[in-house]
């Protein structure tokens, strides 16, 4: 399932942005947010409830249309936000969805801070036993990784 909270029947985008802002001390990307940001630590119960409801509504809609759900990722990589991942993991367990896509962790162009943040986020997903892969990235990232890890092999 490709989680989307931007528009649609349930208008959760403003609440989603408020939730990320509360969790990360402003409208910032995940790698800039405090690592201890968890949903109960800043967002109101009603904000968490609306987001959880939107996530469950999208899962239900997919299932109602006969779509088997094997994993979840998200539009604009929202599930890579620390607070969103912290909310998603228990919901996915309840809904018996086994996998959450890890954050991009290979290839060229990841700064030290982004690489460190994504490592910690992916560790959180692995600890929950929800990762399906060890690496995630684009085709260019794969070719870069292949060249670095397996030089001379085709």
């Amino acid at each position: 399932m490709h989680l989307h909270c931007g528009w649609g029947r349930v208008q959760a985008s403003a609440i989603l942005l408020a939730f990320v802002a509360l969790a990360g001390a402003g409208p910032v990307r995940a790698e800039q947010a405090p690592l201890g940001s968890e949903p109960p630590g800043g967002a109101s119960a009603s904000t968490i409830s609306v987001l959880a409801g939107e996530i469950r509504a999208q899962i239900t809609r997919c299932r109602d249309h006969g779509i088997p759900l094997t994993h979840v990722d998200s539009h604009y990589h929202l599930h890579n936000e620390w607070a969103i991942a912290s909310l998603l993991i228990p919901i996915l367990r309840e809904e018996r969805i086994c996998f959450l896509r890890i954050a991009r962790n290979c290839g060229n162009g990841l700064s030290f801070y982004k690489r460190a943040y994504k490592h910690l986020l992916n560790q959180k997903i692995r600890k929950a036993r929800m990762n399906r892969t060890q690496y995630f990235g684009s085709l260019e990232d794969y070719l870069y990784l292949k060249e670095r890890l397996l030089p001379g092999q085709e």
Side-chain angles (χ1 to χ4, degrees):
M1 180 180 92
H2 190 77
L3 177 66
H4 191 285
C5 292
W7 56 82
R9 213 185 278 181
V10 179
Q11 296 286 323
S13 61
I15 295 168
L16 177 64
L17 292 175
F19 180 63
V20 172
L22 286 169
V28 296
R29 296 293 313 145
E31 56 270 7
Q32 298 169 322
L35 290 178
S37 300
E38 298 286 341
S44 69
S46 63
T47 301
I48 294 167
S49 177
V50 169
L51 288 172
E54 174 63 14
I55 291 164
R56 286 187 174 98
Q58 290 185 34
I59 290 169
T60 299
R61 187 166 173 95
C62 287
R63 287 182 170 156
D64 287 350
H65 285 84
I67 300 169
L69 300 178
T70 59
H71 72 283
V72 168
D73 71 357
S74 62
H75 197 59
Y76 298 120
H77 312 284
L78 289 174
H79 71 284
N80 290 340
E81 301 289 346
W82 192 267
I84 303 294
S86 297
L87 178 65
L88 258 176
I89 288 170
I91 291 172
L92 297 182
R93 279 195 184 118
E94 290 170 19
E95 296 290 340
R96 299 190 196 301
I97 299 172
C98 298
F99 302 108
L100 178 61
R101 184 185 54 75
I102 62 172
R104 176 179 174 238
N105 61 351
C106 59
N108 202 7
L110 288 175
S111 71
F112 170 78
Y113 297 105
K114 282 186 179 186
R115 193 173 298 280
Y117 172 81
K118 290 174 183 218
H119 173 76
L120 292 172
L121 178 68
N122 289 343
Q123 220 174 20
K124 180 181 190 76
I125 295 169
R126 285 185 188 100
K127 185 176 179 185
R129 296 178 184 240
M130 292 190 148
N131 65 301
R132 191 167 196 166
T133 62
Q134 184 176 356
Y135 298 103
F136 176 77
S138 66
L139 175 59
E140 290 82 16
D141 294 335
Y142 166 76
L143 295 173
Y144 178 84
L145 187 66
K146 182 180 172 190
E147 181 180 299
R148 299 282 272 197
L149 292 182
L150 306 169
Q153 295 183 11
E154 302 259 339

